[in-house]
């Protein structure tokens, strides 16, 4: 959950490394390790989203409640220090008896470690454990960091951009998608304290923001998903600039794309794709998100022939028989499902289409990754909903930091 800033504007964050359970749409309960903030009681997946401003001095205290040493790494952040009673010490690999035990300073069981860095560059970043990363990161010890550019004002849409004014990263709405995968055999071995060989890693579930489809399309903070607080449904209106942030938190690469559409990649790993004044951004149909990578993209939907006055329905309407999806009694669509136009639907079919919005998938292009243990549909899949102009409130599609310690992402 997005963090709180202290009174002087410098973020002070307390994370705890703990265990817990998540659920999948097929009814499985999976043991995880994860980070939580001071308001949580068990691990959440992914960890709390940290939102800070460019130039902030960020202090993060990690308390370890797990049975082995745990740490935090901040890829893309320069000058990370560990705070001690005698001052700040640069973090680095830790060796014990000539053996590498952690890529960075760690907290022992029931111990703490305090990190500090200056968020000098805007962008999208990952944080994760730097200890036994082939186990602890797949177990769920990861989360997102968003650094707002200088001048960003959450109350002034004119200042909203990912990398600052005149960078081509201005946006009207934004979404964060953290993608990963789960090998239940690893999680069960850790729960039982049994050995596990990383070479046997074989995911069976694929997640967006800690959820498998169709749970990805449920709202944020759904009460029946208490340890998976973030949904990933994307909602926008025609022509709006939508910032979509990808973070690869898993061990595998994930080819993602919005079905039938392109996104413009504007930044990679927290670095704007620009050489001086030369714009190096480029459109992609599919973005391959590798382990630890982050992508910032601008997405706009106008439809191939869409015009709100002359052509409000940008595709031929199918016949009535083909407008109902699934068994009688439920459907994703109204009789005419596009941008405010609604028509008759078959008798006995209930429309779940709210305003005549238009839906298409955002999903992995690797077929196994859109299943839950082999069952389709599932896994790394969500929906993009294009709503008629003027129907979405300003709170939709915002990653906001508010004044509460358990501040959350408001999208509905």
């Amino acid at each position: 959950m997005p963090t709180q800033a202290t009174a002087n504007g410098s973020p002070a964050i307390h994370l705890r490394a703990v265990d817990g359970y998540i659920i999948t749409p097929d009814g499985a309960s999976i043991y995880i390790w994860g980070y939580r903030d001071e308001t949580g009681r068990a691990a959440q997946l992914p960890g709390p989203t940290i939102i800070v401003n460019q130039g902030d001095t960020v202090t993060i205290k990690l308390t370890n409640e797990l049975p082995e040493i745990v740490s935090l790494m901040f890829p893309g952040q320069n000058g990370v220090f560990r705070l001690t009673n005698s001052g700040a010490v640069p973090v680095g690999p830790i060796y014990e008896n000539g053996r590498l035990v952690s890529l960075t300073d760690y907290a022992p069981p029931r111990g703490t470690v305090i990190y500090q860095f200056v968020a000098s560059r805007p962008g999208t970043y990952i944080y994760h454990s730097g200890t036994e990363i082939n186990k602890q990161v797949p177990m769920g010890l990861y989360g997102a960091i968003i650094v707002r550019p200088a001048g960003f004002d959450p109350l002034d849409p004119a200042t909203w951009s990912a990398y600052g004014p005149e960078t081509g990263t201005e946006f009207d709405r934004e979404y964060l998608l953290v993608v990963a995968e789960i090998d239940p055999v690893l999680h069960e071995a850790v729960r039982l304290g049994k050995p596990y060989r990383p070479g046997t890693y074989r995911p069976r579930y694929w997640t967006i923001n800690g959820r498998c489809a169709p749970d990805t399309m449920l709202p944020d903070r759904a009460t029946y998903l208490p340890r998976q607080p973030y949904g990933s449904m994307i909602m926008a209106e025609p022509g709006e600039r939508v910032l979509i942030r990808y973070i690869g938190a898993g061990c595998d690469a994930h080819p993602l794309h919005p079905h039938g559409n392109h996104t413009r990649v504007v930044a990679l790993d927290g670095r704007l794709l620009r050489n001086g004044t030369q714009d190096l951004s480029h459109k992609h149909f599919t973005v391959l998100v590798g382990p630890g990578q982050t992508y910032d993209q601008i997405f706009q939907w106008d439809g191939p022939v869409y015009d709100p006055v002359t052509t409000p329905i940008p595709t031929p309407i199918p016949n009535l028989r083909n407008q109902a999806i699934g068994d009688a009694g439920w459907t994703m669509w109204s009789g005419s499902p596009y941008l405010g136009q609604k028509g008759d639907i078959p008798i006995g079919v209930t429309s779940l289409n709210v305003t005549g919005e238009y839906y298409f998938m955002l999903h992995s292009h690797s077929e196994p990754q859109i299943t839950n243990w082999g069952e389709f549909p599932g896994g790394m899949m969500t929906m993009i909903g294009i709503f008629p102009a003027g129907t979405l409130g300003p709170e939709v599609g915002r990653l906001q930091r508010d004044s509460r310690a358990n501040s959350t992402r408001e999208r509905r």
Side-chain angles (χ1 to χ4, degrees), residues 19 46 73 93 103 126 129 171 191 202 230 238 250 300 320 340 342 370 383 393:
D19 64 357
M73 291 189 71
L103 295 176
I126 188 174
S129 176
F171 63 85
R191 185 182 74 86
R202 188 177 181 183
Y230 304 139
Q300 284 184 286
L320 193 63
K342 292 188 128 185
I370 53 175
M383 287 284 181

Side-chain angles (χ1 to χ4, degrees), residues 75-100:
Q77 308 301 330
N78 297 323
V80 180
F81 292 87
R82 174 171 57 91
L83 301 187
T84 69
N85 292 332
S86 58
V89 179
V91 299
I94 304 298
Y95 292 84
E96 295 179 0
N97 299 320
R99 184 177 68 91
L100 177 67

